[in-house]
Amino acid sequence: MSNLSILISGSGIAGSVFAFCLLRAYPNANITIVERDPSLRLTGASVDIRSSAVDIIKWMGVEPTIRQQTTNEMGLQFVNASGKPVATLEASGRSDMQSVTSEYEIFRGALASIFIDPIIDRVTTIFDESIDYFEQHEDGVLVTFTKSKEVKKYDLLIAADGVRSKIRAAMLNTSPAEHILSKGVHVAYFTIKKDLLQGGQLAKWYNAPKRRGIFLRPDPDPAGRTRGNLMVITTDRELETRQKLDDAILQGNESYMKLMEEQFHDAGWLAPEVLHGMRQSDDFYCSLFGRVRSPKLQVGRVVLLGDAGYATPGIGTSLAIIGGYVLAGELLRHDGDVQMALKGYEDIMLPHVNSITMGEGPMQYLNPETWWGISIRNAILGTVTGLKLDKVAMMVGSALGFTEKKVAMPDYPWPAER
């Protein structure tokens, strides 16, 4: 299998981790990455690393580098309209049982660079291009590229093309939106060119009625910056508002920014400064904070990786890392049998992601509809953190041997690092 020819659609974290791991097993593997953007997308909001993904970054040898490039966020603080703290959830200081703030909070672009930089000269990259069509054969996948119209055969096609994966849609004969499960959370992400946290290392969470949230996170850039998030949360009874948000995302950044200005002009706290910073930002993007649950992760020689197969808010980056490692590990374990390897990957990842249950409730409870609801939430959180019940629960869980749920996977026969 050392000369396996693989096409990865998408240059993000999932595909990069897979390529890194496969090249550890097969240094001569022929890997091509096709990316729709004109260059690597090394931007994005803060992400974190949890569960089995922590073990994987240690195995990859990149854990020290990741620690060096974390955001230095020390926890999360809920504030009221005057900016007064009402509850603080501190980081746990542990990698096996983490709080809301992970031990590995890092900006997506920095993490993507850490994974792809070591292998970028060992793969072929095609930018400003995408896959228009593919056709499966017994001995490979025939791929037609969108712009060049070039047709080429690969042994394996990996769909790492995100939540609205066109490859997933073609593989399952559905639409890209078919397996996206909305939890009614729409988020705008951007970098504010001013330190609104005044040097603080606690993220700040503020709520206004109608389930509007402003979430500010520290940025260690010495120039003084803040990472801003505007959140609008809807319930299943608010379908008209939800559709308006969905439409604005599809219409593009300008449409969504105008909608955010409508939604947050009277939100209070630092809303005017945040909206101004949003307009001045260079990296604005918006998305639905939704899950992907595909009934299959592989058909023939096409396989779904990362968000394309199992996007999960809060732990999506960790699942992307785990998925890339497992897929490469299964190809190593089933040397010479691609379809057995893909089945093994699906048998490991699909039950795990399906066991992760996320109802509509959590984000709706954390972002109440009314001032009264916000005050009740603040009182509860203030009591819990004031009495340090959150820390007590973590200490008891640790003493009883509870840690973050990990993925059951084989001990892959990785060769010694060259």
Side-chain angles (χ1 to χ4, degrees):
M1 187 190 280
S2 62
N3 60 349
L4 194 68
S5 177
I6 299 173
L7 177 62
I8 304 172
S9 177
S11 64
I13 288 169
S16 298
V17 170
F18 166 77
F20 184 110
C21 295
L22 192 73
L23 288 169
R24 174 78 63 90
Y26 300 107
N28 297 321
N30 182 7
I31 300 175
T32 299
I33 299 176
V34 59
E35 169 58 51
R36 71 184 69 182
D37 288 335
S39 61
L40 293 172
R41 189 172 72 85
L42 302 178
T43 58
S46 178
V47 297
D48 58 34
I49 301 170
R50 300 173 184 269
S51 179
S52 300
V54 174
D55 300 325
I56 292 168
I57 63 171
K58 291 177 179 178
W59 171 83
M60 293 172 72
V62 298
E63 193 258 2
T65 305
I66 290 173
R67 279 198 180 274
Q68 290 170 5
Q69 297 189 37
T70 58
T71 65
N72 299 320
E73 184 175 303
M74 302 301 293
L76 169 63
Q77 192 168 74
F78 290 84
V79 299
N80 61 21
S82 64
K84 181 181 178 180
V86 296
T88 302
L89 297 168
E90 296 178 350
S92 69
R94 303 176 50 156
S95 62
D96 61 337
M97 185 177 287
Q98 304 184 58
S99 69
V100 176
T101 296
S102 167
E103 293 304 296
Y104 302 99
E105 291 286 344
I106 183 170
F107 296 130
R108 181 205 167 275
L111 186 61
S113 291
I114 290 169
F115 288 140
I116 203 166
D117 283 352
I119 54 104
I120 191 67
D121 293 331
R122 301 174 62 190
V123 301
T124 300
T125 51
I126 305 173
F127 292 108
D128 197 25
E129 184 60 283
S130 61
I131 295 170
D132 181 48
Y133 178 77
F134 66 85
E135 184 179 288
Q136 298 227 46
H137 297 270
E138 186 174 337
D139 62 343
V141 185
L142 202 62
V143 172
T144 301
F145 291 95
T146 303
K147 293 185 175 180
S148 69
K149 303 304 179 185
E150 181 183 3
V151 178
K152 192 170 181 180
K153 181 177 282 189
Y154 296 90
D155 296 309
L156 176 61
L157 171 59
I158 298 176
D161 53 341
V163 171
R164 299 186 67 86
S165 170
K166 292 184 178 180
I167 298 175
R168 180 183 70 240
M171 185 184 90
L172 299 176
N173 194 28
T174 61
S175 72
E178 178 70 21
H179 297 104
I180 302 174
L181 308 178
S182 171
K183 293 302 167 188
V185 182
H186 294 75
V187 187
Y189 306 86
F190 47 92
T191 300
I192 301 168
K193 298 173 184 177
K194 182 179 180 181
D195 184 4
L196 296 182
L197 299 175
Q198 300 179 331
Q201 292 182 311
L202 291 172
K204 304 283 180 119
W205 184 315
Y206 165 75
N207 278 102
K210 299 181 181 178
R211 304 189 195 279
R212 294 171 293 170
I214 298 175
F215 187 30
L216 302 181
R217 310 191 78 165
D219 186 325
D221 190 297
R225 306 194 305 184
T226 311
R227 298 298 176 119
N229 297 255
L230 294 176
M231 304 177 292
V232 180
I233 293 85
T234 55
T235 68
D236 288 340
R237 298 186 301 275
E238 300 167 301
L239 297 182
E240 184 176 343
T241 301
R242 188 176 291 184
Q243 187 62 54
K244 189 175 182 180
L245 290 158
D246 287 341
D247 291 344
I249 286 178
L250 293 176
Q251 289 162 10
N253 287 348
E254 178 60 27
S255 176
Y256 202 86
M257 282 193 276
K258 286 182 178 178
L259 183 57
M260 291 301 94
E261 289 167 335
E262 294 174 13
Q263 293 273 349
F264 284 89
H265 75 278
D266 61 348
W269 191 43
L270 297 177
E273 292 93 332
V274 172
L275 290 173
H276 177 75
M278 176 188 74
R279 277 293 179 183
Q280 300 298 315
S281 67
D282 302 318
D283 58 354
F284 179 93
Y285 72 101
C286 51
S287 69
L288 171 69
F289 209 49
R291 290 191 302 160
V292 169
R293 286 297 179 265
S294 175
K296 297 179 179 180
L297 296 182
Q298 53 88 31
V299 172
R301 290 174 175 266
V302 179
V303 62
L304 308 180
L305 183 63
D307 284 354
Y310 36 83
T312 305
I315 58 170
T317 299
S318 296
L319 288 176
I321 293 169
I322 295 166
Y325 174 87
V326 170
L327 180 56
E330 289 298 305
L331 286 166
L332 174 61
R333 188 163 74 103
H334 296 282
D335 189 17
D337 194 331
V338 171
Q339 298 199 354
M340 282 294 292
L342 299 191
K343 184 65 167 59
Y345 161 76
E346 183 179 64
D347 288 345
I348 291 169
M349 294 302 297
L350 201 56
H352 179 74
V353 298
N354 285 339
S355 73
I356 302 170
T357 57
M358 294 180 64
E360 184 184 77
M363 285 299 284
Q364 280 71 14
Y365 294 144
L366 276 175
N367 298 271
E369 172 69 21
T370 65
W371 280 124
W372 180 83
I374 293 169
S375 66
I376 294 297
R377 182 210 62 184
N378 288 347
I380 293 172
L381 289 175
T383 299
V384 169
T385 58
L387 295 175
K388 301 187 183 302
L389 297 180
D390 55 323
K391 293 184 178 180
V392 170
M394 193 166 289
M395 289 172 60
V396 171
S398 176
L400 293 175
F402 292 109
T403 57
E404 294 179 346
K405 183 178 180 181
K406 296 194 175 184
V407 180
M409 65 181 86
D411 185 10
Y412 295 117
W414 300 104
E417 187 177 2
R418 293 172 174 83

